[in-house]
Every structure is written in structure tokens, then in C-alpha cells.
Amino acid sequence: MPSLTKARIAFVIAIGLLVACALVVYGTLRGLNESEIRVQHAQQVQVLLGELESAIASAARARLTYVFSGNDDSLNQYQTAVARIPAKLSELRQSVKDEPIQLSYCDKLEHLVTTRIELWEKSVALKRSGAPEPAGQPDLTRQSVMFAEEIISVTQTMRDEESNQLAGRRTAAGFNFFLTNAILVVSFIAAVWLLFWHYRLQRAELIARERAEKETLAAAQAAQLAENKARAAEKSALASHEAARHLSARLLHLQDEERRRLSRELHDSTGQHLAAAKMVLSSLTMSQPNDRRYAECMELLDRSLREIRTISHLLHPSGLEEAGFSTSARWYVEEFAKRSNTEIRVDIAELPERLPREVELALFRVLQEGLANIHRHAKSRSAEVEFRLEGAQLALEIRDHGVGIAPEMLEQFRSAAVFGVGLAGIRERVRDLGGTFNVDSNGEGTRLRVTIPAPQSAASRAGTEPFRKGSSPGLNS
Ligand SMILES: Nc1ncnc2c1ncn2[C@@H]1O[C@H](COP(=O)(O)OP(=O)(O)O)[C@@H](O)[C@H]1O
Ligand SMILES: [Mg+2]
């Protein structure tokens, strides 16, 4: 049983015992009070018996005096004393009305007293009649004396009875008093012991609680410390992640610059040299029309020029700077569709104004990467490219119906564990411009969706001026 429950039980029992003590004390006091009343009652009965005896004795004496002297005063005294006797008898009867034995003695006493009074009355009447002296008086007096003895015997019995009852009550009261004292002492000691036990249990509980609280506090402090450490670690991880992101963005930017430089170099220098070589060769071809080798050289130079132009364009789409994103994108998709033999549905909106250079370049790189991935990984025969202004956002969506990205690869990409290349490169470019990049992929295909905040002027002009829908190449193959 838990110690707290034990303590509660001990406390309740202790309180119960104390209440019982209080009740016992109350009962004892009541008993004492009753005993007191009883003693008073016994005394009252004794007094009444005494008064009755005294009234009877007075009457007897007055009757005797009257019989001997014929004195009227004695007759008066006799009559007064006799008149008191019924009243005293009735008082006595009243005071013992709850005691059947005493009541029966009362009846007997009353009978004896009445009979004796009748004798006295006869004696008095005899005296009054003036009959020759005293024929029946001695006999009457003798009878009266006999009754007197019986009356005394009855009153004595009543006194004894009263004393016996009193003694019985005293013995019972003494025993009760002893018992009460014993109960009180035992209960009190038990209550004190229980209260002490209760105190000890409560104290033990309190100490245990304090210890537990201290331990909890220590654990909380340790947890707080660990949390602080974890936070610090998280902060530094975030900081290094941020630094890596910045580095990655910077690398992308440098890569763009380098590609632009290479592209210009190829176009302006190598391209020009090849063009010059072609011009020289064409004059030589005209002077030697029968030599096939010149024509072959011409063809090789033409192919090299085309490839240089393509590579230069892929490295940095020069048309992008002149024609803008929508036109270049349309041209690029068309070329890609032709080269990769993929059906591509294009829906590219023409914007009312040019976008900032970095936005156009970012959108173009997204398009390039998306299409390159379709060609390299998707194994899809068809795809869709859509570009439009949605409210204040430029939205570019590229969809294919190929094999989809492997889930673990998607997870790796989503956990932001990779930087800089392919899809991760797109994400950083877009994030740098305050946009969003979502990749959805399953076994039925892949959807890349990029949104970039449109420059305010483009967004507000688009609200008033309807888009010119670009001349879509439609379905290419
Ligand atoms: N459209 C796609 N369809 C199927 N798989 C794709 C697609 N795009 C990307 N992937 C998968 O995701 C991987 C990561 O793509 P990416 O970041 O562009 O890197 P890379 O193209 O250099 O491999 C690819 O290696 C490929 O397995
Ligand atoms: Mg790729």
C-alpha cells in the first residue's frame, strides 16, 4: 500500500478515536449527572418518609392526648396532623412513581395508614360520644400500636430499598467510571500514536517528493543544456548550409560568366577564323574545280562552323540577350525536339516587356536542364513546356511522361543534401531570385515547376494589356 494512503488511513483512525473519546467523555458526564439526580431523589424519598412518619407520630400523639385529656386543642392538633398524612402519602407516591417495587410498598403503606386512621377515628368518636370510660379505647390503642409497628417496618423497607438501589447504582457507576477511564486512556494513546505515525509517513513522503523534484529539476536542467547544445549545433549547421548555398550560387554565377566568355571566344574568334578559312578555301575551290578534296574541306569547315555555333549557343544563348526569353525558348525547344526526336507541345506566352537578364538566364537554364533530363533519363516520347505570367509570378512548367525520378533520388534532392548540379542547381538559381521550385515525379512521369516573382512593371502591364500568345511551334517531332 502506498505510504500516502497509509498516512491518510492513520489520520482518519486517529481523528475517529479522538471523536470517540469526546463521545465517551460526554457519556460519562451525563452518567455523573444522572447519578447526582439519583442521589438527590433517594434523599428526597428519605425526607418524605421522615415527614410521613412524623405526621403519623404527631397524629398518634395528639389522639392519645385527646383520649386521655378530652382537650379540644389536642383534638385540633390531631385533626391537623391527620389532614397532612394523605398529602405526604401522595407526595411519596409521586416521587417513586418510576419504581414499581416502591409503588407496591406505597400501596401497602397507604392501606396500613388508612386502617390506622380509621382506628383513630373510631377512638376519637368514642371519646366524643362520652360513653362510660373507656370501654374500647385500650383495645383500639393496642391495635393502633400494632399498625404503627407494621408501618415502621414498611417505611424501613422502603428506605432500605432506596439505599440498595443507590448502592447498586454507585457500584455500576464506579465500574463505568473505571471502564471509561480505561477506554479514554487506550484511545488517547492510540490516537497520539497514530498521529505520530501519520506525521512520520507524511514527512517521509515530503522528503521523497522534494528529492524527486530536485531530480526532475536536475533532469530538466540537463535537458535544457542538451537542447541548447542541439540548438547551437543546428545553428552552426544552418550557417554552414547557408555558406554552402552561397558558395554554390557564386559558383553557378562564375560558371555562367565562364560559359559566356567561352561562347563569345568560340563565336567571335574561332568562328571568325573558320569563316575566314572558308572564304580562302572557296577562292581555292574556284581555281581548282576538279579537285574533290577542296569540296570535302569546305564541307568539314561548314560542319565545324555549325557545331561551333551550336556549342557557343548552348554555352550562352546569344539570342537570349537579343530576342528575350520567350523567343529563344521557343527556338530552343524546337531545335531540341528535332534533335532528340521528341514530341513537345509548347505554350510559351510573350511578355509585354523584357525581363531582367538574370531572370531570363535562370529561366533558360531551367528549360535547358529540364529538357536535357528528359532526353537523358526520362525515356519519354512526348513532353510539354508551358510558360506564363500567373498574377505576380512567372511560371515555367516542364512535363514528361517517362519513367520518373527514383524515389530515393527524389528524397535526396528534397532533403537538400546536394548542391550545384542539375536539379539542385535549378533550385539554387530560383531561390536566389526569390522563387520556388517543385519537382513531382512518379512512375508515370515528371513535372518541374518553377515560379519567380515577376518584375512589378511586367505584372502591372500584364493586368491592362493582354498577352500576345507566342507563335507556338505546336507539336514538334
Ligand atoms: N525527367 C526525368 N525523368 C527521369 N529521371 C530523372 C528526370 N530528371 C532527373 N532524373 C533523375 O534525377 C537524377 C538527378 O538529375 P540531375 O540533378 O539533373 O542530375 P544529372 O542529370 O546530372 O544526373 C538523374 O540522375 C536522374 O536519375
Ligand atoms: Mg541533369
Side-chain angles (χ1 to χ4, degrees):
M1 197 193 291
S3 61
L4 206 64
T5 317
K6 276 191 209 162
R8 272 189 199 138
I9 292 174
F11 184 72
V12 170
I13 295 176
I15 294 297
L17 282 174
L18 287 176
V19 171
C21 281
L23 289 176
V24 168
V25 168
Y26 174 71
T28 310
L29 288 177
R30 273 191 67 145
L32 282 175
N33 194 32
E34 270 174 22
S35 295
E36 185 66 21
I37 291 170
R38 193 59 226 166
V39 169
Q40 281 175 11
H41 170 76
Q43 282 168 355
Q44 191 193 3
V45 171
Q46 305 269 16
V47 168
L48 285 172
L49 283 169
E51 283 175 2
L52 180 65
E53 280 172 343
S54 132
I56 293 170
S58 300
R61 252 194 327 275
R63 194 237 3 141
L64 215 54
T65 313
Y66 175 63
V67 167
F68 282 116
S69 65
N71 191 340
D72 278 350
D73 281 350
S74 301
L75 182 63
N76 281 342
Q77 277 175 5
Y78 162 74
Q79 283 168 339
T80 314
V82 165
R84 269 169 53 213
I85 291 172
K88 285 296 155 195
L89 265 173
S90 137
E91 269 183 59
L92 183 63
R93 185 180 284 281
Q94 185 62 29
S95 78
V96 297
K97 68 175 186 298
D98 297 331
E99 300 162 62
I101 299 177
Q102 295 289 58
L103 272 180
S104 71
Y105 287 131
C106 262
D107 292 342
K108 201 171 173 185
L109 192 62
E110 195 167 353
H111 172 70
L112 290 170
V113 171
T114 316
T115 316
R116 198 178 173 195
I117 290 173
E118 279 169 8
L119 286 175
W120 289 341
E121 288 298 312
K122 273 186 199 163
S123 160
V124 170
L126 197 63
K127 177 74 186 171
R128 271 188 178 168
S129 68
E133 198 54 29
Q137 287 297 2
D139 193 35
L140 287 170
T141 304
R142 203 169 35 253
Q143 284 182 40
S144 167
V145 169
M146 271 163 56
F147 276 109
E149 279 166 6
E150 269 192 68
I151 285 169
I152 285 169
S153 153
V154 173
T155 50
Q156 190 52 45
T157 311
M158 284 183 82
R159 275 203 185 87
D160 291 348
E161 176 63 28
E162 223 32 65
S163 302
N164 284 348
Q165 279 189 19
L166 206 60
R169 273 171 206 269
R170 277 210 177 109
T171 315
F175 179 71
N176 277 353
F177 190 68
F178 169 76
L179 199 69
T180 308
N181 274 351
I183 291 172
L184 276 179
V185 168
V186 171
S187 305
F188 192 75
I189 289 172
V192 168
W193 184 80
L194 283 169
L195 283 176
F196 179 67
W197 191 45
H198 166 81
Y199 161 76
R200 285 194 58 176
L201 287 172
Q202 287 277 29
R203 194 162 159 268
E205 181 69 24
L206 205 71
I207 289 170
R209 240 184 238 175
E210 272 175 5
R211 192 177 303 137
E213 264 169 26
K214 267 185 199 154
E215 278 167 12
T216 316
L217 202 72
Q221 277 171 352
Q224 182 67 43
L225 214 70
E227 198 186 318
N228 287 350
K229 270 189 192 161
R231 267 207 202 124
E234 198 181 327
K235 243 186 188 173
S236 83
L238 256 171
S240 47
H241 182 81
E242 202 50 26
R245 233 172 52 73
H246 275 305
L247 188 64
S248 178
R250 174 100 189 107
L251 282 175
L252 282 173
H253 184 69
L254 287 175
Q255 192 188 43
D256 279 343
E257 285 305 311
E258 189 61 18
R259 280 177 174 182
R260 184 206 293 272
R261 200 184 59 73
L262 259 175
S263 157
R264 191 166 299 140
E265 200 77 4
L266 280 176
H267 189 269
D268 296 352
S269 176
T270 318
Q272 295 308 323
H273 292 157
L274 283 176
K278 212 180 131 185
M279 271 160 54
V280 173
L281 196 63
S282 103
S283 65
L284 282 173
T285 312
M286 276 192 269
S287 61
Q288 301 285 335
N290 298 325
D291 196 341
R292 278 291 306 150
R293 285 175 305 172
Y294 287 108
E296 275 170 26
C297 273
M298 258 318 249
E299 217 179 288
L300 284 171
L301 276 175
D302 270 342
R303 205 188 295 166
S304 300
L305 260 172
R306 268 203 312 278
E307 279 171 8
I308 285 225
R309 259 191 227 116
T310 309
I311 292 172
S312 159
H313 181 76
L314 284 178
L315 280 171
H316 187 79
S318 54
L320 186 63
E321 272 165 28
E322 286 113 41
F325 173 72
S326 299
T327 312
S328 312
R330 241 176 266 120
W331 174 83
Y332 187 80
V333 174
E334 202 174 331
E335 286 296 309
F336 175 86
K338 265 190 227 155
R339 276 202 312 275
S340 63
N341 202 20
T342 313
E343 247 181 48
I344 303 185
R345 195 167 61 76
V346 195
D347 184 2
I348 293 179
E350 197 72 48
L351 296 185
E353 64 176 45
R354 285 290 298 271
L355 297 169
R357 209 181 76 169
E358 66 276 12
V359 174
E360 287 193 328
L361 186 61
L363 288 170
F364 199 82
R365 291 288 183 224
V366 173
L367 184 69
Q368 276 183 314
E369 182 63 33
L371 293 180
N373 277 354
I374 291 174
H375 182 52
R376 282 165 62 195
H377 311 296
K379 300 191 180 75
S380 174
R381 301 276 307 127
S382 63
E384 288 96 47
V385 175
E386 283 171 15
F387 172 69
R388 65 173 75 91
L389 188 66
E390 291 174 356
Q393 300 284 326
L394 300 161
L396 173 61
E397 209 169 295
I398 303 163
R399 292 189 297 271
D400 68 58
H401 309 284
V403 295
I405 304 176
E408 61 275 10
M409 185 66 75
L410 207 58
E411 186 50 43
Q412 198 185 2
F413 166 73
R414 283 191 178 141
S415 69
V418 279
F419 294 104
V421 279
L423 296 177
I426 295 181
R427 181 177 58 205
E428 276 138 46
R429 281 179 191 281
V430 170
R431 198 187 278 167
D432 245 25
L433 296 170
T436 63
F437 175 45
N438 294 307
V439 183
D440 295 319
S441 188
N442 54 31
E444 292 173 5
T446 303
R447 183 189 79 134
L448 308 185
R449 181 179 159 82
V450 162
T451 65
I452 295 175
Q456 265 194 346
S457 52
S460 55
R461 279 185 67 184
T464 54
E465 197 176 297
F467 274 143
R468 277 170 281 135
K469 250 228 151 159
S471 56
S472 164
L475 290 176
N476 297 292
S477 57

